Amino acid sequence: MTPTLVPHHPARDWAEIQERMLVPLYEAVYDRLGVGAGSRLLGLGCGSGLALLMAAARGARVAGADRDHARVELARERLPEGVTITEEPPESVTYDVITAFHATDGILPGLRTLTRSAQSGTAVVLAGWGPPERCATEPVLRIAARLADRGPAPGPDLDALVAGAGLRPAGSGRVSCPFGYANEGSAVRGLLSTGVFDEAVRATEPAQVEKEIEEALAPYVRPDGTVWMPNVFRYVVARVR
């Protein structure tokens, strides 16, 4: 199979292709927490700002932080004037809701710092992949670990993060977030934009990574050329003690 080899612009590919795949997750969390007029929400790892835009449309006052400069610039373009988007999380918070829809183990130190300054009862939401058997994308993600010459990298243990940050568990949920793409090329660009494959690309060759992603996508290509991958994401809700 010939690799796609299309020019990639990761931040824009994330904004235009991949970010929308998690809209059902964002909606489910906002519905559960009653995010709306009067809510004050901070998005950690806010990407190019779609989740913040959705919260703002509900009437919430929002702010975000993401270490990817290009994504931050896109978020600033699409969010209303006056919304603060930074590349480092604030040292203190005055928000009702803190979200980390793309939680990783590396978020723990910053999360501890934030929650020390947050008011008791502040909601903290962490989200990540659901059970591997419920995620069609899981075999594709294993490619990243193998090509980077490291062991399998399952999603973070969300409950352990809650405990490590000293938060009080307050519930959890699972949400169906299928990944749908117009074609294989769009799927490859979207998946590469997640950042999961960055280490693999550095360790091998971009063409090899693309080739293996395309091969793993083959079972999910439909007769019309579109790609459909059912996935389930899990989120946990916790409260500052």
Side-chain angles (χ1 to χ4, degrees):
M1 184 178 295
T2 304
T4 309
L5 291 179
V6 231
H8 298 304
H9 305 283
R12 197 159 293 280
D13 286 345
W14 171 262
E16 296 178 356
I17 300 173
Q18 193 65 33
E19 192 174 24
R20 60 185 172 81
M21 307 299 180
L22 296 186
V23 164
L25 172 64
Y26 305 153
E27 291 282 14
V29 168
Y30 293 163
D31 286 345
R32 180 160 182 165
L33 295 180
V35 171
S39 300
R40 297 168 298 170
L41 183 144
L42 172 67
L44 300 178
C46 67
S48 49
L50 179 57
L52 295 182
L53 194 62
M54 291 170 59
R58 290 169 168 250
R61 293 171 53 194
V62 302
D66 197 294
R67 290 194 165 91
D68 187 312
H69 175 75
R71 292 189 187 186
V72 167
E73 289 302 307
L74 287 174
R76 288 170 176 162
E77 289 176 14
R78 63 202 306 202
L79 285 158
E81 187 176 351
V83 173
T84 301
I85 308 290
T86 61
E87 293 181 30
E88 294 292 337
E91 294 184 0
S92 61
V93 295
T94 55
Y95 300 93
D96 309 307
V97 179
I98 301 171
T99 62
F101 287 119
H102 310 282
T104 65
D105 292 329
I107 198 175
L108 187 55
L111 195 59
R112 286 173 175 156
T113 299
L114 282 176
T115 54
R116 277 198 294 267
S117 65
Q119 292 185 341
S120 176
T122 297
V124 180
V125 180
L126 307 177
W129 292 97
E133 65 273 13
R134 301 285 303 278
C135 297
T137 311
E138 197 268 343
V140 182
L141 301 179
R142 287 204 302 266
I143 293 170
R146 177 171 54 78
L147 292 179
D149 196 24
R150 54 181 169 79
D157 184 333
L158 301 177
D159 300 299
L161 288 176
V162 166
L167 300 168
R168 173 172 55 86
S172 65
R174 293 182 179 180
V175 183
S176 174
C177 294
F179 287 6
Y181 305 95
N183 50 52
E184 286 180 88
S186 177
V188 171
R189 288 172 57 197
L191 291 166
L192 286 173
S193 76
T194 63
V196 172
F197 296 89
D198 290 356
E199 189 177 343
V201 169
R202 289 191 294 268
T204 57
E205 291 291 331
Q208 178 67 21
V209 177
E210 291 188 27
K211 176 179 179 292
E212 297 211 22
I213 292 175
E214 287 190 349
E215 291 174 348
L217 289 174
Y220 307 102
V221 179
R222 301 193 289 191
D224 63 357
T226 59
V227 179
W228 187 256
M229 309 178 78
N231 295 299
V232 169
F233 278 72
R234 179 174 183 259
Y235 68 87
V236 296
V237 180
R239 299 278 177 178
V240 174
R241 297 183 186 276

